[in-house]
Amino acid sequence: MALRRYRWLGWVLVLSGLLVMAGWAAITGVQVLSRARSLQGHLQYLQDLADGGTAGLFQLDAGQASDHLTGMDQDLAFIEARVGPLLPAGRLLGWVPEYGGDLVAADELLEMAGSLASAGERTFQALSPALDLMTAPDDETGSLLSAGEKILPVLTAARPDLEVARRQLAEVRAARSQIDPEALSPRVGDMLERLDRYLPVFETAVDAALVAPNLLGAGAPRSYLVVAQNNQELRGTGGFVSGVGELRVEDGKLLSLAFGDSYAVDNFEVPHEVAPLEFRQMLLGDLLLFRDANWNPDFPTSAQKMIQIYSQDQGVETHGVIALDLTALHLLVAAAGSLQVDGIEEPVTAQNVLAIIGQQWAAGTGDSGSDWWLRRKDFMGDIASALLERLSTPEDLDPVELGWAVKKALDEKHVLAYLQDPDAAALLRNQGWDGALPQPSSEQGFLMVVDSNVGFNKVDPNVARSIDYQIDLADPGVPRARLSLRYQNFSSRPVEACVQEARYGDTYADMLERCYWDYVRVYVPAGSELLDGPDLSLPPGSLLARNEGAGLPQTIEPALSEGGWSVWTAFFDLAPMEERQLVWEYRLPPTVVERSADGTYRYGLRVQKQAGTVDVPLTVEIRLPPGAELVAGPSVVETDLRLDREFLVVFRIEEAGP
């Protein structure tokens, strides 16, 4: 009898416990559902704000945005506290139809959301005073330039919060790396895809806010070289270095920008290093001077060389280099609006800026002699000064449009930046804004074509070029490549023969209507083996062919090793109204094709754009083994090199039967 009572009591206790748990679950479920609906409202607001782009930042209600961020953080904290202990059990529920992947990843999803919300709230609260300054009427901040002095203390004070936010974003990325997006339900997968799109932007904004005080001269002045690269005379990092300015800032204030001719940097009373052999062969120049310091297409390498030469020739130490070409100048003038430039009667606009540059270059060539030579690059400094003046009087200036113009110029490599500050350098590298070649590798496909105009002219606008790249993976263990480059010179003035010489004409337009002299370098994966290439005989009109007593090798090296890369080369001339095709065939290292554990093969290819070019047409064709199944990626792509391009092909080979 006693045993029955104990059993009955036990069942009562169990039932009571189940009822309590059910009640707790019901109450908690209602609370969590309420918080989830609240969270959805906050997320929708932020999504609408993000979809509005940068323009939304200048129209938002700071108080409303703060409330949404705080509410989202509180909602997520509540949900995590109530259901967080139960989430690890979700890993056992992967079998649930449609939502099994969500349940498996629930722990990471909630951790990611919580860290992201906290980082967002912390960053917004820390930087909202700066946002107030940016969105204030012009008469409250004075100008965009003077606003920098006011924003700098805000950025300095925000540093502790920003460092915490950066650690929280690292936690977000770590949690994200544990999630398989293919296993998620469509709705959650869509949210994750949006995170993948916006997280890098958030990380960049935090990193930029952290490095900005040092770059703006907080506590000590900073000096930077502003280099004008004329991409109508293409060189390794974007164009011939025609001018250079020395920009000085301190405590957020622009102290000065003195701009001059690149030739004026030269000081032959100090020793200079000998130029690379191929440079001497192309141009018969013995010394590496400032105007030719960008021969190496890796911009950080060339920028360091510019800093070194400027220091030895001018005795001025600088902390970085910002290079911009004529395309960037066009974009900036278009965003800033018409400019009043000293010495130029008509307003300078995006429509006429390049024409005015040509007119100013040619002004006085027939009468001013050496005086013209000394002043021929002054207009670059004049236009730069006018741009700065425009920023100082920003009536009708759209900061959003200006910001997008700068971003476009950076993304498309018409502006390159190298900064000695390690954190700033890492930020630029992560965004692809430093014009660097990646680390040499034999484990991934890579291609970069670098043209250098060595004809002492500005003919590049009349030259059309295209790239046709074929990869033969018929035998994945012995991959091969065929690269075909096509050049067409649309200059219309006929010549009897192409002669490479330093000759100026009466007009800038005259320098566009000439033969094209090109030294080509093709960067391919380390360990590649050249099988066949173009004719490397010297063009008879070249400087080297006409100066056999120069003491230099009369043959061009077909293959180099530069910075760890394998490099194929060619040197040719191209008369007006003619075209030429260059073809290389080579064997790639077998490691560029990876065989995965699931039996598939993977081939990844990065084609890097040369800075200064616009949109070179690119065709990539990948030949798979006979009977292979294409699992992912395209086998043929027709695109252009407005930006760097990356491709990934995954295929499977049918195993032969017994």
Side-chain angles (χ1 to χ4, degrees), residues 232-233 354-355 357-359 361-363 365 372 453 455-462 489-495 499 501-517 576:
Q232 296 185 346
E233 185 176 354
L354 298 184
I357 285 176
Q359 295 167 9
W361 186 94
T365 55
W372 162 79
N453 181 339
F456 303 95
N457 58 45
K458 316 297 181 186
V459 76
D460 278 279
N462 289 336
N489 186 352
F490 287 102
S491 300
S492 58
R493 183 183 303 165
V495 298
V499 179
E501 58 182 343
R503 175 176 63 87
Y504 289 95
D506 293 334
T507 66
Y508 190 90
D510 175 62
M511 301 189 71
L512 276 73
E513 297 287 333
R514 297 190 185 176
C515 293
Y516 182 51
W517 290 87

Side-chain angles (χ1 to χ4, degrees), residues 15 109 128 162 212 252 261 389 416 422 426 479 528 538 552 570 587 591 603-604 646 656:
L15 181 59
L109 288 168
S128 57
L162 293 175
D261 185 355
E389 181 65 24
L416 302 175
S528 297
L538 280 177
L552 296 169
R587 186 178 293 116
T591 46
Y603 172 74
E646 293 191 355

Side-chain angles (χ1 to χ4, degrees), residues 153-463:
V154 176
L155 296 176
T156 303
R159 185 173 188 86
D161 284 323
L162 293 175
E163 288 178 338
V164 174
R166 182 161 62 175
R167 290 195 295 270
Q168 291 173 324
L169 292 176
E171 293 171 358
V172 172
R173 191 161 287 281
R176 168 64 183 87
S177 67
Q178 302 298 315
I179 299 173
D180 177 11
E182 299 296 328
L184 301 176
S185 65
R187 184 173 182 179
V188 176
D190 180 62
M191 294 176 64
L192 193 67
E193 187 274 331
R194 292 181 183 180
L195 173 72
D196 290 341
R197 192 189 323 154
Y198 294 123
L199 180 58
V201 178
F202 192 178
E203 292 171 323
T204 300
V206 172
D207 288 341
L210 282 167
V211 303
N214 188 38
L215 301 182
L216 292 173
R222 294 288 185 273
S223 296
Y224 306 99
L225 297 178
V226 180
V227 173
Q229 298 191 123
N230 189 338
N231 53 334
Q232 296 185 346
E233 185 176 354
L234 198 59
R235 287 291 176 88
T237 67
F240 180 75
V241 177
S242 60
V244 58
E246 185 184 327
L247 184 149
R248 298 179 64 244
V249 295
E250 184 175 12
D251 291 330
K253 181 179 180 180
L254 176 66
L255 299 180
S256 64
L257 174 59
F259 208 94
D261 185 355
S262 60
Y263 285 73
V265 175
D266 301 340
N267 177 6
F268 293 105
E269 295 183 359
V270 298
H272 290 74
E273 69 177 81
V274 176
L277 173 61
E278 65 272 16
F279 177 89
R280 288 180 280 145
Q281 288 178 303
M282 297 303 110
L283 295 161
L284 297 188
D286 293 330
L287 303 179
L288 189 64
L289 304 177
F290 187 86
R291 58 183 174 269
D292 297 310
N294 66 342
W295 183 256
N296 191 314
D298 181 75
F299 185 71
T301 299
S302 288
Q304 292 172 40
K305 191 66 64 179
M306 292 180 193
I307 291 173
Q308 173 195 333
I309 295 175
Y310 198 86
S311 174
Q312 74 182 20
D313 284 17
Q314 295 295 308
V316 176
E317 299 295 331
T318 52
H319 303 90
V321 180
I322 302 168
L324 67 162
D325 63 19
L326 294 178
T327 306
L329 186 64
H330 178 272
L331 290 169
L332 294 175
V333 173
S338 62
L339 305 175
Q340 295 298 326
V341 180
D342 292 342
I344 301 176
E345 294 184 2
E346 60 182 312
V348 175
T349 67
Q351 288 70 37
N352 66 12
V353 61
L354 298 184
I356 286 176
I357 285 176
Q359 295 167 9
Q360 292 295 307
W361 186 94
T365 55
D367 303 321
S368 301
S370 61
D371 183 54
W372 162 79
W373 175 266
L374 294 174
R375 295 186 296 102
R376 74 196 193 287
K377 306 291 178 64
D378 288 354
F379 60 88
M380 290 297 295
D382 294 340
I383 292 177
S385 297
L387 275 169
L388 291 175
E389 181 65 24
R390 184 75 178 89
L391 294 177
S392 299
T393 55
E395 295 83 3
D396 301 323
L397 181 65
D398 186 346
V400 177
E401 186 175 353
L402 183 62
W404 278 117
V406 172
K407 185 178 185 304
K408 178 180 176 65
L410 285 165
D411 289 344
E412 298 183 8
K413 299 187 181 180
H414 297 297
V415 171
L416 302 175
Y418 166 77
L419 299 170
Q420 292 182 330
D421 179 272
D423 291 334
L427 173 62
L428 292 171
R429 176 66 56 89
N430 291 337
Q431 294 299 311
W433 293 342
D434 65 348
L437 274 73
Q439 287 296 314
S441 172
S442 61
E443 298 181 354
Q444 183 179 17
F446 180 81
L447 175 66
M448 182 180 182
V449 178
V450 178
D451 293 308
S452 293
N453 181 339
V454 292
F456 303 95
N457 58 45
K458 316 297 181 186
V459 76
D460 278 279
N462 289 336
V463 175

Side-chain angles (χ1 to χ4, degrees), residues 84-169:
L86 304 176
L87 293 180
R91 302 188 190 282
L92 304 175
L93 301 175
W95 53 268
V96 175
E98 187 175 353
Y99 300 105
D102 300 350
L103 294 170
V104 170
D107 200 3
E108 288 78 10
L109 288 168
L110 188 58
E111 178 185 356
M112 189 169 58
S115 296
L116 185 64
S118 181
E121 181 190 14
R122 189 180 299 275
T123 301
F124 185 84
Q125 297 297 342
L127 296 181
S128 57
L131 186 62
D132 292 339
L133 288 171
M134 293 173 63
T135 57
D138 295 336
D139 56 359
E140 294 184 23
T141 58
S143 74
L144 292 180
L145 294 178
S146 62
E149 300 176 66
K150 300 178 180 180
I151 291 173
L152 185 58
V154 176
L155 296 176
T156 303
R159 185 173 188 86
D161 284 323
L162 293 175
E163 288 178 338
V164 174
R166 182 161 62 175
R167 290 195 295 270
Q168 291 173 324
L169 292 176

